[in-house]
Amino acid sequence: MKIIKLFSLTVILLLGPKIISQEFKLGKVSVTELQQKVHPKDSSAAAAILYKRGKARIDYDQNTGFVTYLDVETRIKIYKKEGYNWANEAIWYYYGTDFKEKVSVSDAVTYNLVGGKIEATKLKSDGVFDEAVSKFRSQKKITMPNVKEGSVIEFKYSVRSPDVLIRDWDFQTSIPVNYSEFKTYVPEYFVFTPAQKGYVFPKVVSEKANKTFLINSKERYNTGGFGGGATQTEFYQDKIEYVETQTTYTAENFAAMKDESYVNNIENYMSSVSHELSMTRFPNKPIKQLSTDWNSVVKTIYDYEDFGPELNKTGYFEDDLKKLLAETKTPEEKIWAIFNHVKSNVKWNNYTGYSCDNGVKKAYKEKTGNIADINLMLTAMLRYSGLTANPVLVSTRSNGIALFPNRTAFNYVIAAVETPSGYILLDASEKFSTPNILPLRVLNWKGRLIRKDGTSEMIDLMPEKASSDNVFMSYSIDSDGKVTGKTRRQYADYNAMIARNNISNLKEEEYLEKLENKHNKIEISDYSKTNEHDVLLPIIETYSFTGNNLCELIGGKIYLNPMLFFANDKNPFKQEVREYPVDFSYPFADKYNITIKIPEGFAVETLPAPAAVTMEDNLGAFKFNIASNGDTLQLSILHQINEAIVSAEKYDMLKEYYKTMIAKETEKIVLKRI
């Protein structure tokens, strides 16, 4: 798919003449901007970025060496109430023991037009606060004051990082972007590999500039002489000349990215640029290669103190594991016993990351930890039991797809056990997960398995087996259109994990009320669950129901949708053209067996015709069969999708498939009096 565009610095240097930046200045909001009622190119837009400009520069600091400064200024127009959330900004930053970034916010003002005059409301200190995201990451949040429909807001923020790094820059988002500019200033000692993703790309120009920085030093010496002499200090200043590469990315009038059903993470397909430090080359020192390929990236991560060494710690669990494994005989029994032991004894604290927060020993003792604490512990236990187990680095759905080699691409880790029939993937942070049934947040294309020797392998995270949802329903209709029936629904694999989560998150009364409302205000009775906690088995729900709003009585006839509340009635695919793939998360097979008893004194006047649709390349199939036998109708339906991710090239076929399926599922049975 066309979502990555890689550049080398040599290519960038060959690009055209320098783009002259448009003149945007904070504080220069115009009456015209405030008077604008709708965006000129997207009348549906709730807000728009009028301009956003960023500068990332690497400078030399006398006390700490090279540091990175990021300065960002933004102006946003609010058109509708739905756009008020754009008046809130969150700027993330690292905040660890040895690595602390500093964020400052300034020039934050909301502008409104009052009586034909511009009114400015400045952001006060109570509108700025810090919030911890994880042990090593926080965010500074701002909430702009006095925001209304028609407001223009603007703000500036700066990030100082005690390291050499360049943050990602987005040129596109869910609202229109009128102008976006990003500049990088990189000394010759550092080589970054830039990578762009998306379907539209900014203009890029680059130039060289001669720069200098000063290094202050001092020398103490003794003047000598009788009596020892005196100590004097001389100060020196060295002027260092170097070449700086200045690169400018400019985007104008980039349309909003419109979200649609079954999108993994829309940000994966938005226009943006990332920079990974790939090489350092200081005078009189050998060139140092960094993240040039995946093996070097994962080896660096494996060697981190809070990653690889944590896998070698075993003393804290050995006694427990010996007892646990005493009765196990097969590898499968070992895997399940260890997996269930970790799930039952260590709870996830909702922090992600591939680096341990507490460390595996402390997490085991305190029975809580982050993702790395839990799943590196799990991997260590699996290895101790004699299994071939390794960690797998993952980027979650919300974090985006790991497109090119870099250490920040991942934010999660799971465990993998190698067996003769393939890998078994495990995540012990999810209460209802099972081997090879991972939390949905993890199903994000590919992961990276790391072995002890530092080599790595790409692992497909997307499921291949279809998760089933089997519905057995029988119901009768009386002459007034009231429907009375029973339903038995059986969920397996991913459908079972989702169902168990939905059930466990609510009290039964609340869950049933939600189910009744979802199913067209039916009344549910005799509800029961089977295998609710036995996660290796399908979960089964059974209940009786009655409904007075499931049929239409018109002119003495009964009009009935035979699937009742299970019918798909809206096509989730509405775009004429879709450039990014359809992500179902996992393959699935929905099956319905429905028995209908028609009321006495009625006969079938119209019955939907059978239908069958099979998509090319075994992508999926829909089958609809209905038969009449006296006062009983028998209906069987299959809706099956065989690929977790469907490429954009197949979008038209998929869209037409859903159109045909929905037309058939919403077709009515007509019953007439006899």
Side-chain angles (χ1 to χ4, degrees), residues 122-157:
K122 293 183 179 181
L123 176 68
K124 295 182 180 179
S125 59
D126 60 0
V128 184
F129 60 96
D130 292 273
E131 179 181 80
V133 178
S134 69
K135 184 177 179 180
F136 303 107
R137 191 163 169 160
S138 296
Q139 57 185 8
K140 188 174 289 290
K141 303 182 79 172
I142 64 174
T143 302
M144 298 298 293
N146 198 25
V147 176
K148 307 173 183 178
E149 291 180 83
S151 295
V152 170
I153 63 170
E154 59 181 28
F155 52 84
K156 179 180 180 179
Y157 67 84

mmCIF file of all heavy atoms in Angstrom, residues 122-157:
data_model
loop_
_atom_site.group_PDB
_atom_site.id
_atom_site.type_symbol
_atom_site.label_atom_id
_atom_site.label_comp_id
_atom_site.label_asym_id
_atom_site.label_seq_id
_atom_site.Cartn_x
_atom_site.Cartn_y
_atom_site.Cartn_z
ATOM 1 N N LYS A 122 -6.888 36.052 27.613
ATOM 2 C CA LYS A 122 -5.646 35.317 27.791
ATOM 3 C C LYS A 122 -5.850 34.092 28.678
ATOM 4 O O LYS A 122 -6.686 34.083 29.574
ATOM 5 C CB LYS A 122 -4.581 36.229 28.408
ATOM 6 C CG LYS A 122 -4.124 37.356 27.490
ATOM 7 C CD LYS A 122 -3.012 38.172 28.145
ATOM 8 C CE LYS A 122 -2.537 39.278 27.204
ATOM 9 N NZ LYS A 122 -1.426 40.080 27.815
ATOM 10 N N LEU A 123 -5.060 33.072 28.381
ATOM 11 C CA LEU A 123 -5.074 31.861 29.200
ATOM 12 C C LEU A 123 -4.444 32.156 30.560
ATOM 13 O O LEU A 123 -3.360 32.712 30.648
ATOM 14 C CB LEU A 123 -4.287 30.748 28.497
ATOM 15 C CG LEU A 123 -4.114 29.432 29.255
ATOM 16 C CD1 LEU A 123 -5.450 28.716 29.387
ATOM 17 C CD2 LEU A 123 -3.097 28.539 28.558
ATOM 18 N N LYS A 124 -5.154 31.766 31.631
ATOM 19 C CA LYS A 124 -4.631 31.958 32.984
ATOM 20 C C LYS A 124 -3.969 30.666 33.480
ATOM 21 O O LYS A 124 -4.101 29.607 32.872
ATOM 22 C CB LYS A 124 -5.760 32.377 33.921
ATOM 23 C CG LYS A 124 -6.357 33.736 33.575
ATOM 24 C CD LYS A 124 -7.451 34.129 34.558
ATOM 25 C CE LYS A 124 -8.041 35.492 34.213
ATOM 26 N NZ LYS A 124 -9.128 35.889 35.148
ATOM 27 N N SER A 125 -3.312 30.783 34.592
ATOM 28 C CA SER A 125 -2.543 29.650 35.116
ATOM 29 C C SER A 125 -3.421 28.448 35.444
ATOM 30 O O SER A 125 -2.973 27.300 35.355
ATOM 31 C CB SER A 125 -1.767 30.078 36.366
ATOM 32 O OG SER A 125 -2.652 30.561 37.367
ATOM 33 N N ASP A 126 -4.699 28.691 35.817
ATOM 34 C CA ASP A 126 -5.561 27.558 36.160
ATOM 35 C C ASP A 126 -6.012 26.779 34.928
ATOM 36 O O ASP A 126 -6.645 25.725 35.051
ATOM 37 C CB ASP A 126 -6.776 28.016 36.966
ATOM 38 C CG ASP A 126 -7.642 29.027 36.210
ATOM 39 O OD1 ASP A 126 -7.299 29.378 35.066
ATOM 40 O OD2 ASP A 126 -8.658 29.463 36.774
ATOM 41 N N GLY A 127 -5.695 27.286 33.744
ATOM 42 C CA GLY A 127 -6.013 26.565 32.507
ATOM 43 C C GLY A 127 -4.875 25.706 32.008
ATOM 44 O O GLY A 127 -4.958 25.108 30.934
ATOM 45 N N VAL A 128 -3.791 25.609 32.789
ATOM 46 C CA VAL A 128 -2.619 24.814 32.425
ATOM 47 C C VAL A 128 -2.315 23.855 33.568
ATOM 48 O O VAL A 128 -2.221 24.270 34.724
ATOM 49 C CB VAL A 128 -1.380 25.710 32.163
ATOM 50 C CG1 VAL A 128 -0.201 24.863 31.700
ATOM 51 C CG2 VAL A 128 -1.698 26.795 31.150
ATOM 52 N N PHE A 129 -2.188 22.567 33.272
ATOM 53 C CA PHE A 129 -1.850 21.606 34.318
ATOM 54 C C PHE A 129 -1.123 20.416 33.709
ATOM 55 O O PHE A 129 -1.174 20.180 32.495
ATOM 56 C CB PHE A 129 -3.100 21.136 35.073
ATOM 57 C CG PHE A 129 -4.138 20.468 34.212
ATOM 58 C CD1 PHE A 129 -4.183 19.090 34.092
ATOM 59 C CD2 PHE A 129 -5.071 21.232 33.516
ATOM 60 C CE1 PHE A 129 -5.149 18.477 33.302
ATOM 61 C CE2 PHE A 129 -6.033 20.626 32.712
ATOM 62 C CZ PHE A 129 -6.071 19.251 32.613
ATOM 63 N N ASP A 130 -0.426 19.671 34.556
ATOM 64 C CA ASP A 130 0.330 18.498 34.131
ATOM 65 C C ASP A 130 -0.389 17.233 34.565
ATOM 66 O O ASP A 130 -1.009 17.184 35.633
ATOM 67 C CB ASP A 130 1.738 18.527 34.717
ATOM 68 C CG ASP A 130 2.586 19.645 34.139
ATOM 69 O OD1 ASP A 130 3.209 19.416 33.100
ATOM 70 O OD2 ASP A 130 2.599 20.752 34.720
ATOM 71 N N GLU A 131 -0.277 16.206 33.728
ATOM 72 C CA GLU A 131 -0.960 14.937 34.000
ATOM 73 C C GLU A 131 -0.013 13.790 33.671
ATOM 74 O O GLU A 131 0.564 13.738 32.588
ATOM 75 C CB GLU A 131 -2.219 14.845 33.144
ATOM 76 C CG GLU A 131 -3.008 13.567 33.311
ATOM 77 C CD GLU A 131 -4.228 13.539 32.397
ATOM 78 O OE1 GLU A 131 -4.061 13.242 31.197
ATOM 79 O OE2 GLU A 131 -5.332 13.835 32.871
ATOM 80 N N ALA A 132 0.168 12.865 34.611
ATOM 81 C CA ALA A 132 1.030 11.707 34.384
ATOM 82 C C ALA A 132 0.337 10.710 33.465
ATOM 83 O O ALA A 132 -0.834 10.395 33.649
ATOM 84 C CB ALA A 132 1.383 11.047 35.705
ATOM 85 N N VAL A 133 1.068 10.221 32.475
ATOM 86 C CA VAL A 133 0.550 9.213 31.553
ATOM 87 C C VAL A 133 1.121 7.844 31.909
ATOM 88 O O VAL A 133 0.444 6.833 31.850
ATOM 89 C CB VAL A 133 0.892 9.579 30.095
ATOM 90 C CG1 VAL A 133 0.405 8.507 29.136
ATOM 91 C CG2 VAL A 133 0.282 10.929 29.734
ATOM 92 N N SER A 134 2.395 7.817 32.274
ATOM 93 C CA SER A 134 3.061 6.604 32.728
ATOM 94 C C SER A 134 4.188 7.026 33.656
ATOM 95 O O SER A 134 4.339 8.205 33.984
ATOM 96 C CB SER A 134 3.601 5.791 31.543
ATOM 97 O OG SER A 134 4.673 6.472 30.921
ATOM 98 N N LYS A 135 4.987 6.051 34.048
ATOM 99 C CA LYS A 135 6.073 6.350 34.981
ATOM 100 C C LYS A 135 7.073 7.328 34.375
ATOM 101 O O LYS A 135 7.680 8.129 35.078
ATOM 102 C CB LYS A 135 6.771 5.054 35.364
ATOM 103 C CG LYS A 135 7.857 5.216 36.417
ATOM 104 C CD LYS A 135 8.445 3.876 36.803
ATOM 105 C CE LYS A 135 9.542 4.025 37.847
ATOM 106 N NZ LYS A 135 10.126 2.721 38.234
ATOM 107 N N PHE A 136 7.244 7.276 33.061
ATOM 108 C CA PHE A 136 8.254 8.100 32.414
ATOM 109 C C PHE A 136 7.674 9.128 31.445
ATOM 110 O O PHE A 136 8.403 9.778 30.721
ATOM 111 C CB PHE A 136 9.241 7.206 31.640
ATOM 112 C CG PHE A 136 9.904 6.175 32.499
ATOM 113 C CD1 PHE A 136 9.556 4.837 32.403
ATOM 114 C CD2 PHE A 136 10.862 6.540 33.424
ATOM 115 C CE1 PHE A 136 10.165 3.884 33.196
ATOM 116 C CE2 PHE A 136 11.474 5.587 34.225
ATOM 117 C CZ PHE A 136 11.127 4.259 34.117
ATOM 118 N N ARG A 137 6.369 9.245 31.419
ATOM 119 C CA ARG A 137 5.772 10.136 30.425
ATOM 120 C C ARG A 137 4.617 10.910 31.041
ATOM 121 O O ARG A 137 3.788 10.339 31.742
ATOM 122 C CB ARG A 137 5.292 9.318 29.221
ATOM 123 C CG ARG A 137 4.899 10.144 28.021
ATOM 124 C CD ARG A 137 4.860 9.257 26.788
ATOM 125 N NE ARG A 137 4.255 9.921 25.652
ATOM 126 C CZ ARG A 137 4.417 9.555 24.396
ATOM 127 N NH1 ARG A 137 5.167 8.531 24.115
ATOM 128 N NH2 ARG A 137 3.826 10.187 23.413
ATOM 129 N N SER A 138 4.599 12.199 30.775
ATOM 130 C CA SER A 138 3.524 13.062 31.251
ATOM 131 C C SER A 138 3.037 13.924 30.097
ATOM 132 O O SER A 138 3.567 13.858 28.983
ATOM 133 C CB SER A 138 4.018 13.952 32.395
ATOM 134 O OG SER A 138 4.398 13.193 33.516
ATOM 135 N N GLN A 139 2.035 14.721 30.363
ATOM 136 C CA GLN A 139 1.580 15.665 29.352
ATOM 137 C C GLN A 139 1.125 16.958 30.029
ATOM 138 O O GLN A 139 0.562 16.940 31.115
ATOM 139 C CB GLN A 139 0.468 15.078 28.490
ATOM 140 C CG GLN A 139 -0.757 14.600 29.231
ATOM 141 C CD GLN A 139 -1.752 13.919 28.301
ATOM 142 O OE1 GLN A 139 -1.480 13.678 27.134
ATOM 143 N NE2 GLN A 139 -2.925 13.622 28.811
ATOM 144 N N LYS A 140 1.459 18.043 29.365
ATOM 145 C CA LYS A 140 0.996 19.351 29.818
ATOM 146 C C LYS A 140 -0.265 19.677 29.034
ATOM 147 O O LYS A 140 -0.248 19.679 27.794
ATOM 148 C CB LYS A 140 2.057 20.426 29.610
ATOM 149 C CG LYS A 140 1.685 21.773 30.247
ATOM 150 C CD LYS A 140 2.821 22.761 30.156
ATOM 151 C CE LYS A 140 3.971 22.418 31.074
ATOM 152 N NZ LYS A 140 3.632 22.605 32.509
ATOM 153 N N LYS A 141 -1.342 19.936 29.741
ATOM 154 C CA LYS A 141 -2.631 20.166 29.095
ATOM 155 C C LYS A 141 -3.066 21.611 29.287
ATOM 156 O O LYS A 141 -2.883 22.190 30.356
ATOM 157 C CB LYS A 141 -3.689 19.213 29.667
ATOM 158 C CG LYS A 141 -3.312 17.743 29.524
ATOM 159 C CD LYS A 141 -4.383 16.817 30.058
ATOM 160 C CE LYS A 141 -5.518 16.652 29.082
ATOM 161 N NZ LYS A 141 -6.469 15.601 29.510
ATOM 162 N N ILE A 142 -3.615 22.175 28.230
ATOM 163 C CA ILE A 142 -4.151 23.531 28.324
ATOM 164 C C ILE A 142 -5.607 23.526 27.878
ATOM 165 O O ILE A 142 -5.992 22.786 26.973
ATOM 166 C CB ILE A 142 -3.329 24.538 27.483
ATOM 167 C CG1 ILE A 142 -3.404 24.197 25.983
ATOM 168 C CG2 ILE A 142 -1.880 24.574 27.938
ATOM 169 C CD1 ILE A 142 -2.730 25.243 25.104
ATOM 170 N N THR A 143 -6.409 24.329 28.548
ATOM 171 C CA THR A 143 -7.819 24.499 28.217
ATOM 172 C C THR A 143 -8.058 25.982 27.969
ATOM 173 O O THR A 143 -8.010 26.793 28.898
ATOM 174 C CB THR A 143 -8.724 23.995 29.358
ATOM 175 O OG1 THR A 143 -8.436 22.609 29.605
ATOM 176 C CG2 THR A 143 -10.190 24.144 28.988
ATOM 177 N N MET A 144 -8.298 26.326 26.716
ATOM 178 C CA MET A 144 -8.422 27.735 26.351
ATOM 179 C C MET A 144 -9.716 28.336 26.915
ATOM 180 O O MET A 144 -10.758 27.679 26.954
ATOM 181 C CB MET A 144 -8.382 27.892 24.836
ATOM 182 C CG MET A 144 -7.068 27.424 24.199
ATOM 183 S SD MET A 144 -5.640 28.369 24.758
ATOM 184 C CE MET A 144 -5.995 29.974 24.048
ATOM 185 N N PRO A 145 -9.678 29.601 27.323
ATOM 186 C CA PRO A 145 -10.848 30.235 27.946
ATOM 187 C C PRO A 145 -11.789 30.874 26.922
ATOM 188 O O PRO A 145 -11.405 31.175 25.800
ATOM 189 C CB PRO A 145 -10.194 31.317 28.815
ATOM 190 C CG PRO A 145 -8.982 31.727 28.025
ATOM 191 C CD PRO A 145 -8.484 30.472 27.357
ATOM 192 N N ASN A 146 -13.042 31.057 27.350
ATOM 193 C CA ASN A 146 -14.023 31.868 26.610
ATOM 194 C C ASN A 146 -14.180 31.430 25.146
ATOM 195 O O ASN A 146 -14.254 32.246 24.232
ATOM 196 C CB ASN A 146 -13.612 33.354 26.663
ATOM 197 C CG ASN A 146 -14.770 34.284 26.313
ATOM 198 O OD1 ASN A 146 -15.941 33.936 26.474
ATOM 199 N ND2 ASN A 146 -14.448 35.465 25.807
ATOM 200 N N VAL A 147 -14.249 30.139 24.932
ATOM 201 C CA VAL A 147 -14.361 29.608 23.566
ATOM 202 C C VAL A 147 -15.824 29.569 23.144
ATOM 203 O O VAL A 147 -16.686 29.092 23.880
ATOM 204 C CB VAL A 147 -13.735 28.202 23.469
ATOM 205 C CG1 VAL A 147 -13.946 27.615 22.080
ATOM 206 C CG2 VAL A 147 -12.253 28.264 23.800
ATOM 207 N N LYS A 148 -16.103 30.086 21.948
ATOM 208 C CA LYS A 148 -17.450 30.124 21.390
ATOM 209 C C LYS A 148 -17.392 29.719 19.916
ATOM 210 O O LYS A 148 -16.309 29.590 19.343
ATOM 211 C CB LYS A 148 -18.030 31.539 21.497
ATOM 212 C CG LYS A 148 -17.988 32.157 22.887
ATOM 213 C CD LYS A 148 -18.422 33.615 22.843
ATOM 214 C CE LYS A 148 -18.306 34.275 24.205
ATOM 215 N NZ LYS A 148 -18.679 35.715 24.153
ATOM 216 N N GLU A 149 -18.565 29.536 19.350
ATOM 217 C CA GLU A 149 -18.611 29.356 17.898
ATOM 218 C C GLU A 149 -18.124 30.649 17.246
ATOM 219 O O GLU A 149 -18.631 31.731 17.539
ATOM 220 C CB GLU A 149 -20.034 29.030 17.445
ATOM 221 C CG GLU A 149 -20.507 27.654 17.899
ATOM 222 C CD GLU A 149 -21.932 27.365 17.440
ATOM 223 O OE1 GLU A 149 -22.115 26.938 16.293
ATOM 224 O OE2 GLU A 149 -22.841 27.577 18.251
ATOM 225 N N GLY A 150 -17.131 30.523 16.389
ATOM 226 C CA GLY A 150 -16.552 31.695 15.744
ATOM 227 C C GLY A 150 -15.233 32.132 16.339
ATOM 228 O O GLY A 150 -14.521 32.965 15.761
ATOM 229 N N SER A 151 -14.868 31.587 17.510
ATOM 230 C CA SER A 151 -13.617 31.975 18.154
ATOM 231 C C SER A 151 -12.413 31.587 17.304
ATOM 232 O O SER A 151 -12.442 30.617 16.536
ATOM 233 C CB SER A 151 -13.480 31.297 19.524
ATOM 234 O OG SER A 151 -14.461 31.718 20.424
ATOM 235 N N VAL A 152 -11.345 32.341 17.469
ATOM 236 C CA VAL A 152 -10.030 31.963 16.965
ATOM 237 C C VAL A 152 -9.121 31.849 18.179
ATOM 238 O O VAL A 152 -9.080 32.751 19.021
ATOM 239 C CB VAL A 152 -9.473 32.992 15.967
ATOM 240 C CG1 VAL A 152 -8.010 32.693 15.652
ATOM 241 C CG2 VAL A 152 -10.296 32.989 14.682
ATOM 242 N N ILE A 153 -8.433 30.720 18.295
ATOM 243 C CA ILE A 153 -7.511 30.539 19.417
ATOM 244 C C ILE A 153 -6.100 30.401 18.868
ATOM 245 O O ILE A 153 -5.894 29.932 17.742
ATOM 246 C CB ILE A 153 -7.873 29.302 20.266
ATOM 247 C CG1 ILE A 153 -7.746 28.022 19.431
ATOM 248 C CG2 ILE A 153 -9.270 29.423 20.840
ATOM 249 C CD1 ILE A 153 -7.840 26.755 20.249
ATOM 250 N N GLU A 154 -5.147 30.808 19.665
ATOM 251 C CA GLU A 154 -3.760 30.603 19.282
ATOM 252 C C GLU A 154 -2.913 30.430 20.529
ATOM 253 O O GLU A 154 -3.248 30.913 21.613
ATOM 254 C CB GLU A 154 -3.241 31.745 18.412
ATOM 255 C CG GLU A 154 -3.287 33.119 19.024
ATOM 256 C CD GLU A 154 -2.763 34.195 18.078
ATOM 257 O OE1 GLU A 154 -2.855 34.015 16.854
ATOM 258 O OE2 GLU A 154 -2.250 35.216 18.582
ATOM 259 N N PHE A 155 -1.831 29.702 20.367
ATOM 260 C CA PHE A 155 -0.941 29.445 21.493
ATOM 261 C C PHE A 155 0.429 29.043 20.963
ATOM 262 O O PHE A 155 0.585 28.675 19.789
ATOM 263 C CB PHE A 155 -1.497 28.337 22.406
ATOM 264 C CG PHE A 155 -1.868 27.069 21.696
ATOM 265 C CD1 PHE A 155 -0.919 26.095 21.419
ATOM 266 C CD2 PHE A 155 -3.181 26.846 21.294
ATOM 267 C CE1 PHE A 155 -1.260 24.927 20.759
ATOM 268 C CE2 PHE A 155 -3.535 25.684 20.632
ATOM 269 C CZ PHE A 155 -2.568 24.726 20.360
ATOM 270 N N LYS A 156 1.385 29.099 21.843
ATOM 271 C CA LYS A 156 2.741 28.695 21.524
ATOM 272 C C LYS A 156 3.248 27.804 22.643
ATOM 273 O O LYS A 156 2.932 28.023 23.811
ATOM 274 C CB LYS A 156 3.655 29.924 21.387
ATOM 275 C CG LYS A 156 5.105 29.602 21.065
ATOM 276 C CD LYS A 156 5.930 30.888 20.944
ATOM 277 C CE LYS A 156 7.387 30.585 20.621
ATOM 278 N NZ LYS A 156 8.191 31.831 20.485
ATOM 279 N N TYR A 157 4.001 26.780 22.279
ATOM 280 C CA TYR A 157 4.649 25.984 23.313
ATOM 281 C C TYR A 157 6.055 25.604 22.868
ATOM 282 O O TYR A 157 6.358 25.558 21.671
ATOM 283 C CB TYR A 157 3.837 24.743 23.696
ATOM 284 C CG TYR A 157 3.691 23.680 22.636
ATOM 285 C CD1 TYR A 157 4.686 22.712 22.442
ATOM 286 C CD2 TYR A 157 2.541 23.607 21.849
ATOM 287 C CE1 TYR A 157 4.537 21.714 21.487
ATOM 288 C CE2 TYR A 157 2.395 22.619 20.899
ATOM 289 C CZ TYR A 157 3.390 21.675 20.713
ATOM 290 O OH TYR A 157 3.245 20.697 19.760
#
